[in-house]
Amino acid sequence: MLNKTLLSYKTKSYLKKNVSPRTSMGYDSVKDIGLIFTIGSKAKHEVIKSFIKSLENDGKKVHVLAFLPKKEENHEFLFDFFTEKEVSFWGSINSDKVSVFANKSFDYLFYVDDQSNMLIKNVLAMSKAKCRVAPFDENNEDCCEMMVQAPASGGIKNLVDEMYKYTKLLS
């Protein structure tokens, strides 16, 4: 079981120590994009795959990392993932996949979840990405440069559509 207090402390520590340069750049100039999310339903998986395809069709190189919660199915095993088992008692994520992902200086890093996930927030806090884009949520304010509000009725598809629309407007 995760110790949420220690995980929260670790996230705050990462945020304080991370001095990576942050900036938003025009979508046309963007080359590398990171995408992080919590594995959920098959429908969400299909939306994520479609989003990746749209980004790749725009000439972007996309790197994906997913969190696999207990009792969830990893659909198709397409993406690198990590689990709770890789989180120490002290809130450190002991995963080479997470370390490599967090150390890439993506032009944009999209966090595609409709509910806040403390473990992913931990990865966002470690991230060297130039612009971290997430759904609008008070819990994401300290670890994101851009937040997007999407109507809740449309679910994850609406969120992805709004993220894509607003980042493409940056030019």
Side-chain angles (χ1 to χ4, degrees), residues 101-157:
F101 188 85
N103 281 306
K104 288 189 185 220
S105 58
F106 300 116
D107 297 318
Y108 289 149
L109 172 55
F110 291 101
Y111 170 28
V112 185
D113 272 346
D114 49 5
Q115 292 185 356
S116 189
N117 179 320
M118 289 181 71
L119 290 171
I120 291 182
K121 186 173 175 185
N122 190 282
V123 176
L124 290 172
M126 286 188 278
S127 175
K128 307 280 189 250
K130 295 173 185 129
C131 182
R132 299 166 293 182
V133 182
F136 180 80
D137 182 336
E138 291 173 1
N139 295 317
N140 296 333
E141 281 182 2
D142 53 352
C143 62
C144 294
E145 286 66 50
M146 180 176 177
M147 292 193 289
V148 175
Q149 181 130 23
S153 60
I156 208 74
K157 172 82 171 97

Side-chain angles (χ1 to χ4, degrees), residues 45 69 80 127 171:
H45 186 74
D80 286 340
S127 175
S171 46

Side-chain angles (χ1 to χ4, degrees), residues 11-166:
T11 300
K12 287 177 186 168
S13 172
Y14 286 139
L15 285 168
K16 195 176 193 180
K17 292 177 185 174
N18 191 341
V19 293
S20 298
R22 307 291 180 189
T23 184
S24 61
M25 57 195 305
Y27 186 78
D28 294 339
S29 304
V30 169
K31 291 180 177 64
D32 287 317
I33 293 178
L35 198 146
I36 190 166
F37 69 101
T38 304
I39 294 173
S41 69
K42 183 73 171 162
K44 180 179 182 180
H45 186 74
E46 293 302 321
V47 169
I48 297 288
K49 285 183 0 185
S50 176
F51 186 33
I52 293 166
K53 187 173 183 176
S54 295
L55 294 168
E56 289 175 340
N57 286 342
D58 290 344
K60 313 306 179 195
K61 185 171 182 183
V62 182
H63 308 267
V64 182
L65 181 66
F67 169 67
L68 178 62
K70 289 179 189 174
K71 300 179 185 174
E72 278 294 341
E73 180 183 342
N74 191 356
H75 312 284
E76 303 175 298
F77 288 88
L78 287 176
F79 312 121
D80 286 340
F81 67 94
F82 68 103
T83 67
E84 234 177 74
K85 291 179 184 177
E86 295 167 282
V87 181
S88 75
F89 173 80
W90 302 106
S92 297
I93 302 174
N94 303 312
S95 164
D96 290 339
K97 292 172 186 165
V98 170
S99 293
V100 167
F101 188 85
N103 281 306
K104 288 189 185 220
S105 58
F106 300 116
D107 297 318
Y108 289 149
L109 172 55
F110 291 101
Y111 170 28
V112 185
D113 272 346
D114 49 5
Q115 292 185 356
S116 189
N117 179 320
M118 289 181 71
L119 290 171
I120 291 182
K121 186 173 175 185
N122 190 282
V123 176
L124 290 172
M126 286 188 278
S127 175
K128 307 280 189 250
K130 295 173 185 129
C131 182
R132 299 166 293 182
V133 182
F136 180 80
D137 182 336
E138 291 173 1
N139 295 317
N140 296 333
E141 281 182 2
D142 53 352
C143 62
C144 294
E145 286 66 50
M146 180 176 177
M147 292 193 289
V148 175
Q149 181 130 23
S153 60
I156 208 74
K157 172 82 171 97
N158 245 5
L159 174 62
V160 165
D161 289 346
E162 293 295 296
M163 287 178 157
Y164 186 61
K165 177 175 88 177
Y166 285 111

